[in-house]
């Protein structure tokens, strides 16, 4: 199964030698209301700078900021920090990464984003992006990472590496990871994030501030089938969507345990047809492309919706295989790209393509194939927060 926390990119700290983060987690585990237990708790895998199961304390956050400054900014760095950085795949020397990290630390220290006790602060995309998420509610999965990387890869194939979308629209934005990743990749692009749930929209806005996109990223809280985006009709170059994939009366899997998760997974407010109709109305007729991520086992449902809505000149499918030691397992995720013009037909002639998430035979789930790693490396290249 694709457990959200296991699949999130970069949330696991890849090196067990990151003593500063362990110290941070230890400090954070001491609650002001409950005394620390005398018996040592069972060791758990760590997800990001502050463990998911423990509250965020000011002291823990301060230690994380200090560690991040040491890792990226302070010279000379202790030898063990360079070893940790290498193990985590972090580039510590380029100035653009240092600028981004410095900005993020300043924002965290200023408390403008205010990490709440019911949230986690997660490190994703090879230490480039910091993400606030709900501790117990719906959390982003690897699908968001795959959608982000494939959107950038396809955009570059169609328009070239140096071109930027005029605007990136992130539908069903959640905490904002896809829109933020693409906004950091394309520094000349504005980002519009559309999110139904108010708590997600508020957190998405704070994540935009945290990652230096406050001036370029607008967050709209509303229903995709009702929100007024008339001023963007026919003008969007790049649209991405990670939609709910279960019908309201679909009981093929266990019901989500919270309303937040239910709204994220079930089409209770808008259907896939609604999202496709919105996409068709927003895309630029000659330049625009849109990408959706969807479960492979529901591919036929997406195909049927595309036939019902109609109006897309080109449709391209990408089957994403997990790779690693599970290379022969069927694809779990499909990414479908559409355009109302013929730009996809010209630039991407193959109707169906395949991608691997992890190198074949690799047991390390933190290592990814080049199309993903190339995207990580591109984040922040053109950004000066």
């Amino acid at each position: 199964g694709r457990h959200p926390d296991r699949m999130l990119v970069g949330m696991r700290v890849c090196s067990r030698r990151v003593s500063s983060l362990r110290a941070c987690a230890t400090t954070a585990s001491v609650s002001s209301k409950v005394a620390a237990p005398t018996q040592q708790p069972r060791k758990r895998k760590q997800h990001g700078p502050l463990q998911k199961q423990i509250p965020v304390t000011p002291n823990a956050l301060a230690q994380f900021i200090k560690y991040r400054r040491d890792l990226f900014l302070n010279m000379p760095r202790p030898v063990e920090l360079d070893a940790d950085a290498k193990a985590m795949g972090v580039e510590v020397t380029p100035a653009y990464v240092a600028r981004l990290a410095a900005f993020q630390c300043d924002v965290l220290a200023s408390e403008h984003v205010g990490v709440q006790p019911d949230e986690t602060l997660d490190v994703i995309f090879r230490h480039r992006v910091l993400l606030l998420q709900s501790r117990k509610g719906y959390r982003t999965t690897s699908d968001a990472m795959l959608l982000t990387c494939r959107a950038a890869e396809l955009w570059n194939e169609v328009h070239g590496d140096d071109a930027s979308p005029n605007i990136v629209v992130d539908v069903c934005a959640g905490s904002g990871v896809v829109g933020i990743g693409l906004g950091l990749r394309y520094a000349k692009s504005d980002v519009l994030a559309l999110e139904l749930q108010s708590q997600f929209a508020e957190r998405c806005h704070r994540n935009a501030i945290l990652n230096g996109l406050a001036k370029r990223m607008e967050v709209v809280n509303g229903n995709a089938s009702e929100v007024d985006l008339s001023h963007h009709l026919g003008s969007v170059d790049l649209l991405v969507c990670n939609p709910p994939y279960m019908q309201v009366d679909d009981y093929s899997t266990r019901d989500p345990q919270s309303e937040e998760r239910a709204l994220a997974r079930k089409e209770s407010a808008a259907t896939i047809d609604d999202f496709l109709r919105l996409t068709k109305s927003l895309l630029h007729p000659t330049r625009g492309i849109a990408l959706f991520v969807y479960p492979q086992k529901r591919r036929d449902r997406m195909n049927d919706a595309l036939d019902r809505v109609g109006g897309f000149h080109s449709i391209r499918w990408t089957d994403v295989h997990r790779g690693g030691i599970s290379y022969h397992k069927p694809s779990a995720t499909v990414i479908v790209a559409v355009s109302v013009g013929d730009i996809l037909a010209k630039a991407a002639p193959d109707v169906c393509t395949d991608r691997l998430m992890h190198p074949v035979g690799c047991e390390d789930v933190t290592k990814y194939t080049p199309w993903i790693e190339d995207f990580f490396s591109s984040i922040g290249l053109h950004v000066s927060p």
Side-chain angles (χ1 to χ4, degrees), residues 16 27 32 73 79 87 113 115 124 129 167 170 178 181 186 220 223 235 238 245 258 276 315 331 368 381:
R16 294 184 179 179
T27 305
S32 59
L73 304 174
V79 175
V113 297
V115 185
I124 63 172
V129 174
I167 185 170
D170 182 5
V178 181
Y186 301 108
V220 176
N223 191 329
S235 65
L238 181 59
Y245 54 84
S258 69
L276 288 172
I315 301 173
S331 165
Y368 300 96
L381 275 171

Side-chain angles (χ1 to χ4, degrees), residues 97-119:
V97 177
R99 288 200 302 270
L100 187 58
F103 176 86
Q104 291 166 337
C105 287
D106 289 344
V107 173
L108 283 174
S110 68
E111 300 183 352
H112 285 169
V113 297
V115 185
Q116 302 300 313
D118 62 345
E119 294 177 328

Side-chain angles (χ1 to χ4, degrees), residues 16 28 42 45 73 84 119 142 184 271 307:
R16 294 184 179 179
R42 181 171 61 89
K45 289 184 177 179
L73 304 174
D84 290 338
E119 294 177 328
S142 64
L184 290 175
T271 67
D307 289 340

